[in-house]
Amino acid sequence: MTTATTATTQSPAHSPAPAAPARGPVPALWLALLATPVAAGANAPVLILPDMAGALGAGTSAATWLVAAFAWAMAVGTPLLAGLLRHRGLRAVLRLSSVLVLGGTLLVAASPWLPLTLVGRAAQAAGGAGLVAAAMSLAGSARRMGVISAGFGILGAAGPLLGAQLAQAVSWRLSLSVSVIALLAVPAVARYAQAPTASGAAKAPAPARDRFDARGAGLLTALVTALVLLPHAPSAALASAAVAAVLLALHVRRRPQGFVPEALLRSPRFLASALLALGLSASYFTLLFSVPRLLADRAGWDTGAAGSGQLAALLTGSALSWLLAAASARMGRTAVRAVLAGVGTLAAVTAAAADQGPLLLAATAGAVFAATGANAVLSTHAASSAPDSQRPTAIGLFVLCYQLGGAFGPAVAAALVLGA
């Protein structure tokens, strides 16, 4: 009797606690909020460079380094933070990226000197790169990746106008701080990612156990830095890039599972995806900077009409790219690549030959459609070419190629159109 009673009263203490309900994947809108504000922050200085230069006591040409520093830090930070994601996991990336974005924003808000402001912009970009890598690693499908990529296109398109409006209403420093909005999504993404995962839901890969390849990371950083500087100092940058590329190739042969996995470099699927994204990105950014001048020179449009028309075209192309991402699973890889390459080529040819405003805007819409569609769909192709443990690395190197297109495009525009 006593034994029965004791067993009855103690059984609740020994019964297992109810399991936490499994959650589905992180909602795509949270991932978009985590990743896309950096696009608006990147383009915010475009129309306010003279104001920034005057406030910092520098010339306009010197102030353009605020754009170059941001592009460099995004390009370098993407594979580095993706490597951290692979080795330390999602929480470490979210924590470090948040510190970089917040610290960089505080520097930009308070710095009275251009060099310190450059450091702040670079920190913002590196932190944003980490948030992008985290969001893309959690997307899990082309449809969800399409939401992120379309958001990139839309906020990137609105960035110059948003930056100008904020600068006029408050301060140019506020214009350069819009990427801090991404931190609102960090707690929600962290909660979803740490909760038990429902069957079939995308989750961050477990941290890798192998030793971090610091030499490979350093050589890749040197190569990317040289490539980003290529438009500014061609001879020195080209020589530096060649040396860094040779050293990196030798290192990859010695350590094939290192920071740049040899298997990815030998994967036709990864190489085709990354190189096509690089070409489409470079074409898009070339047109982004060229079309306003072409609208004025060939069609006689004034600055206001050109800016409004280009914004409408960019928003339209970015929205349409999400439809391609949503339909990509039914189309197949070959068909998707054919559509992206065909539309991107047609956009470039149209922009080169057209002398009517609507055709130039159609070329802009086609270019942003191809570039953002490539970022959404081809990134999933690139990730699928790698084992789960190397998926963050594959995404980081893919996004690096896309970012390099963003660095090359303005230089091509300056050489072909803006300098004419």
Side-chain angles (χ1 to χ4, degrees):
M1 184 74 177
T2 303
T3 303
T5 304
T6 303
T8 303
T9 56
Q10 289 182 349
S11 59
H14 292 284
S15 61
R23 292 190 178 185
V26 183
L29 291 180
W30 280 122
L31 296 180
L33 180 59
L34 185 72
T36 58
V38 70
N43 293 347
V46 170
L47 300 178
I48 57 174
L49 280 176
D51 297 335
M52 295 161 49
L56 294 170
T60 302
S61 60
T64 59
W65 279 102
L66 290 169
V67 179
F70 199 96
W72 170 81
M74 276 289 292
V76 169
T78 298
L80 290 178
L81 272 294
L84 180 66
L85 177 63
R86 179 189 174 198
H87 284 270
R88 295 297 181 88
L90 182 68
R91 294 181 65 181
V93 170
L94 291 178
R95 188 181 300 114
L96 177 59
S97 298
S98 299
V99 169
L100 287 171
V101 170
L102 183 58
T105 300
L106 291 176
L107 277 179
V108 168
S111 169
W113 306 295
L114 178 61
L116 194 58
T117 308
L118 287 173
V119 174
R121 287 291 284 168
Q124 286 179 318
L131 298 180
V132 171
M136 295 182 74
S137 72
L138 292 170
S141 70
R143 184 186 186 93
R144 286 158 53 80
M145 197 77 80
V147 176
I148 298 172
S149 186
F152 256 103
I154 291 171
L155 288 185
L161 181 59
L162 176 64
Q165 293 297 322
L166 290 176
Q168 183 177 7
V170 183
S171 167
W172 62 266
R173 297 181 185 274
L174 181 61
S175 302
L176 302 190
S177 302
V178 294
S179 58
V180 79
I181 296 172
L183 299 186
L184 296 175
V186 170
V189 172
R191 283 198 303 271
Y192 268 90
Q194 293 167 17
T197 307
S199 176
K203 59 182 179 180
R209 298 182 180 274
D210 55 324
R211 184 169 54 89
F212 180 72
D213 181 13
R215 180 176 296 179
L219 289 173
L220 181 64
T221 299
L223 176 59
V224 172
T225 301
L227 292 175
V228 170
L229 293 176
L230 193 58
H232 305 281
S235 299
L238 186 60
S240 300
V243 172
V246 170
L247 294 176
L248 180 60
L250 293 174
H251 177 74
V252 169
R253 294 192 65 180
R254 286 194 300 266
R255 189 168 177 183
Q257 299 296 324
F259 191 79
V260 181
E262 186 178 31
L264 286 180
L265 300 182
R266 293 183 179 275
S267 169
R269 184 187 305 172
F270 176 82
L271 292 177
S273 300
L275 293 177
L276 181 56
L278 171 61
L280 293 174
S281 173
S283 176
Y284 159 57
F285 281 101
T286 299
L287 293 186
L288 180 66
F289 283 84
S290 299
V291 164
R293 174 71 173 270
L294 295 177
L295 285 170
D297 292 347
R298 297 180 184 177
W301 288 25
D302 60 28
T303 303
S308 300
Q310 187 178 38
L311 177 60
L314 292 172
L315 295 177
T316 301
S318 298
L320 290 176
S321 70
W322 181 82
L323 298 179
L324 176 68
S328 62
R330 297 189 300 272
M331 295 173 61
R333 290 192 181 98
T334 302
V336 168
R337 290 177 183 174
V339 169
L340 292 173
V343 173
T345 302
L346 180 62
V349 171
T350 300
D355 59 1
Q356 299 180 13
L359 287 178
L360 289 169
L361 294 181
T364 302
V368 71
F369 167 84
T372 55
N375 197 28
V377 181
L378 298 185
S379 59
T380 62
H381 295 182
S384 68
S385 66
D388 288 345
S389 62
Q390 292 182 347
R391 190 179 67 197
T393 301
I395 291 176
L397 294 176
F398 173 88
V399 176
L400 166 62
C401 291
Y402 186 88
Q403 293 293 339
L404 284 177
F408 295 153
V412 175
L416 298 181
V417 177
L418 303 181

